Amino acid sequence: QPVSRKPFFLIMDAYPLVLSLPRADTARNTLGIRHTAYVVEVDDCGRIYTRHRRYTNFLWLHRELRRRELACTLPELPPKKAMGSMEQDFVDRRRQLLEGYVRALLRLPAVVLDDALWAFLDADLATAIVPRFLCRPPSHTDAFDCLTQLAKIVAQEANTFRFCSKSVLSNLVAFAQSEAAEAAIQAPLQAQAALQARLGSRVRLCSIIQSLIAHERARQGLVEVGMFGALLALLWRTTEDAEATPTEAHRTACVGVKNCLKLLLEGSQGMALLDFCQQDDGLSALQRLAGAEASSLHQVAASLLWHGFQNSGVVMALAGAKTGLPLLGKLLKSPDLPARVLANLCVGCLVRQDGALDADAKEHCLEALLPLPAELEKAETAALQRTAVATLDRSMAALTRTNSQDLTDTSVVGSDGTVNALAQERDPALVALLQSLCCPKEIPRLQALLGDIDTQGVDAITFTVVALLDHFVRQTIAETARSGDLNPLVPQLQRLVDLHPEGGQVLDMDSSPDVGAHEFSTTFADVRIRAACVLIKLDWPSDGKLGARDAPAFEVFGQRLRILQSVAQHAEALQLRTAGQLAAAAEHRRQQDLQIKIGGLIEAPHVDAARLQEFYSHLASFAERRKCLSQELKQSRQSIDVLGANMDQRGVKRSIITADLDDLRRVVNDQSADETITEEAKAAVARCEEEYRDALANVESQLAQCRASEVTARDAASRARDAEDRAAALSREEAERAEICHSVPAKLEQLRSHLEEFERRKAVLMHETGQVNLETDHEERRHAAVTEADQEAQAALQTLATVHTKLLEFQQTLTSELILTDDEVDRLRKLDVELQPARPSRLRHPLDADTIATCQDENMNIGINADGDGPVWNDIPAELEFRNTPNFRTFSKLRNERATLWSAEHHWLQEAMSRAKTAASRLELRQNNLSQEERLMRDEEEKLRRDLAFWNEPEAHTARHNDARLSAMAARAASCEEAANAVEAAGAQKLSQALLEQVQTKARSIESALSALRETADGKSEQSLRDRRELEKQCVDLEGRARTYLEGWLAIELDERRVSLFREQACEQLRAEEDGRAKLRLEAQRLIDDLQELNRQLDVTARPDRGCDGEWIGDASIAVG
């Protein structure tokens, strides 16, 4: 039935391809700007690699997928954030959202089939191919493309780990089952591509499975997911398709599926068949193959059982099933001989397996094996018969061709030719099966079937195996290398030759009612003879251990003699049988010779077939000559008529060509005057272009001068502005220096007052910093004390939990919780000792106002009491109750009371630690602010001292003021000079600009004249071009017709010669016909004389005498020979 595919997201959840974003790193680009790089971890079936991607990369992927308009709804991408994108909380939240985004993409088939996601991951082809196969579209063409890519990557051993996943193997099984559910036979023309894709998909699937079978883990996975059953169903469907449409593609698919089944069985040591047989319908599927109309499936079923029987579990499963033996019974009755051979071997495996069958079933199975040796002999006899027929046909054909040898000479064929002819006539399927059964890999199984000859004796299984070996060595007589593969069987075969009938169990064939129907007797002597024939063809013994001068042991010669004796006895029996047949054939031939002689049947007729054939040839030759004469005369008349018609047509064509040539000559004469005018216009345009180029050169020269003057004027104006600015700056500096000289005393007084104020602020800051440091130290000691107290509380709680566990164990041993023995009371007191300390340290060491600053415990109390008095600790009533009445209940009450108090103490200490952390953070912030303020004050102090040093030099200020006044006067003089130079450069620029405008006006006038001349010349040139193109077209046409006309003369000359030849041949035929009439008349007269002589001969031989006792030897007696 058709198999429905699972949803893709379920398949991908099972496939071990995982995308995750485990962390986000902070990096800098080439410009030093920080950004966040998310680490994308790709777990491809256990092989992990990472990629670093920014948010912009994810944004590109999302936009690219939206641009391609895929047939799916894309998940939402986390939005962008302009500010705060580097905060850790935001980065972690975005990383989780991006991880969910890429995992959601991996569950969409349209995204997996697209290239954008794999380009984003920078994944190789093998990583993307398997998911694409899992989400392949339902069309056959797409499936073929996916399987083709899959076959390429599975061929590489490095990619095999991706196919070990159960989801991938299950998908391959589902594909095989879907192919098995639908036929692939002849289709309409429009569906041929889909049909070829389906057949190609089956072939690709087989190649993929064969590659996977070569690997242990993948092969085990194929067995577990049920690939054997899927291939079996696909084989059934493919064979039916091949029977309906016997094409090469169907046959290739069948062979591929068969090879997959064989390799899977061999690689799994039969476990695949064992798992399949244990299913409910496993044996039913094999029975379906065994009962199929296509006999090729019978051999497949038998081959699967044979390869599966290498696993003893399969043998026992088939023997224990109700349908196991009927399945083999169907195969034993198959019309296909190779299938019956394999079925016989499977039955032998059942009989040889201990505990598989009972005695009655074994006897029944042994009887079922009896016909196989006779069937093999029938197949060999049929091949010999076909070889004899083919050889006789070739001999008779050679006799007919040569007519110079006797039949006995031409019917003799060499030994090599006979062997080759026989090999061609044998069943190739049977030959291939025997070669596969006798290969080194299968020899141990044949040894097991032969078994221990001394204990088991000779039974039908032994005779079947020996018969197979005998036929194998017959068919591979020229393949000594293959024959040497049987050397491991030599000891068992030698034992068969040495064994006497009384030395072991002999096969009793007389009990079978069908023995008389066999052509050859299956007695013990036949088994010995066949074993001896196998050994003699193997050149046994040849162990390869003897040196060049060594000799084998004496016992070996006795073994050789026994082999030769058996073979000699067999040869003698064959010789006697052949001699009897030869004597009967000789007697039959003698009687035929006598009858032929009496009837005169060997005399040749007076008029034989050769004589009649000779006269017929003369008559046919005469008729042929007359027919040729008639045809040649008819062809000669037709050629003359055709030649005349061609000459008339050629005269008309020549007249037309002459008239067209005169018209073309007149057009060329008229066109020459127009060409002269066009050339004059072109010359005028060339002269005007030369003038225009000179004008443009003048414009460029003047433009360069104008630009140079403009640059000079601009530089002069720039220098004038710079000089003016410098003069102004120096004048301002002069004024500033003068102002400084007048304000020095006031400035110094102001700076000294600022410095005094700064010193006062600095002292206040230092005092405040000291107070903060003291508070910080106090908070640190307080935090340490609270931390130590909390550790004490945690240790006490852990001790209470341990005591509680021991107390529960102790309770299980008590008989009464109120009345305890002394030992039990002592045990409770020990547990009470384990509960120490009973109170926290803040209560064990009360505060003393005189020793607060010296004791560590008191420091702890200072830190603790700073947060309040703490929880009230009152366990004294419970403790007194236990001391007064020590029993289980009072101790449990004391432990529970302390557990409650310690829990409250722990909670209170946690709150105290939280408050201490808050205060420490506040003090740290205050310290940072004070440190920053201190740095600012240091900078301000340094600036004040520099300013005070600067203003405390009056003579230096006066000298600097004088220097500034002199520099300002020199700068004003230079500014006046640069201004004059700028005015002069501006005048030169205006003059150069006026000259440029004059030159440009002249160039524009020349350009206008040139445009008019060009327009006129272009019009004339275009007209001339059109005229020349028309002339070219006419000339080409006229030249083509003239060329055709000239080429036609060759045909006319050929026709003339052909007419002449026809005339000469007709004359020769007339003369030959006259000679033929005379010869035919002479031959007819000779034939009349011969026929009259034949008539007289028939009158003599028409009265035969009766001979051979009045019997006629005919075809019925020939069959005796």
Side-chain angles (χ1 to χ4, degrees), residues 118 125 133 180 299 372 439 602 631 684 701 821 833 930 977 1012:
W118 309 111
L125 180 63
F133 169 72
Q299 184 176 353
L372 181 63
C439 66
I602 59 175
Q631 292 178 352
S701 176
T821 62
V833 172
L930 291 174
E977 183 179 358

Side-chain angles (χ1 to χ4, degrees), residues 8 12 15-19 41-49 51 106 111-115 117-135 149-150 153-154 156 158-163 168:
F8 174 66
M12 283 305 298
Y15 180 68
L17 176 61
V18 181
L19 302 181
E41 186 177 87
V42 183
D43 185 357
D44 186 8
C45 302
R47 298 193 178 184
I48 300 175
Y49 57 91
R51 300 287 186 266
L106 200 60
V111 176
V112 173
L113 292 173
D114 195 75
D115 295 330
L117 177 61
W118 309 111
F120 167 79
L121 296 175
D122 193 17
D124 57 357
L125 180 63
T127 303
I129 288 302
V130 178
R132 287 179 176 176
F133 169 72
L134 297 178
C135 68
Q149 296 178 347
L150 208 64
I153 66 170
V154 78
Q156 302 175 4
N159 297 322
T160 310
F161 70 96
R162 295 186 174 90
F163 296 86
V168 178

Side-chain angles (χ1 to χ4, degrees), residues 967-999:
S967 298
M969 294 173 61
R972 284 191 290 271
S975 175
C976 294
E977 183 179 358
E978 290 295 337
N981 293 335
V983 171
E984 183 180 359
Q989 179 186 1
K990 291 180 179 179
L991 179 62
S992 180
Q993 187 69 30
L995 293 176
L996 176 63
E997 291 177 356
Q998 293 178 2
V999 175

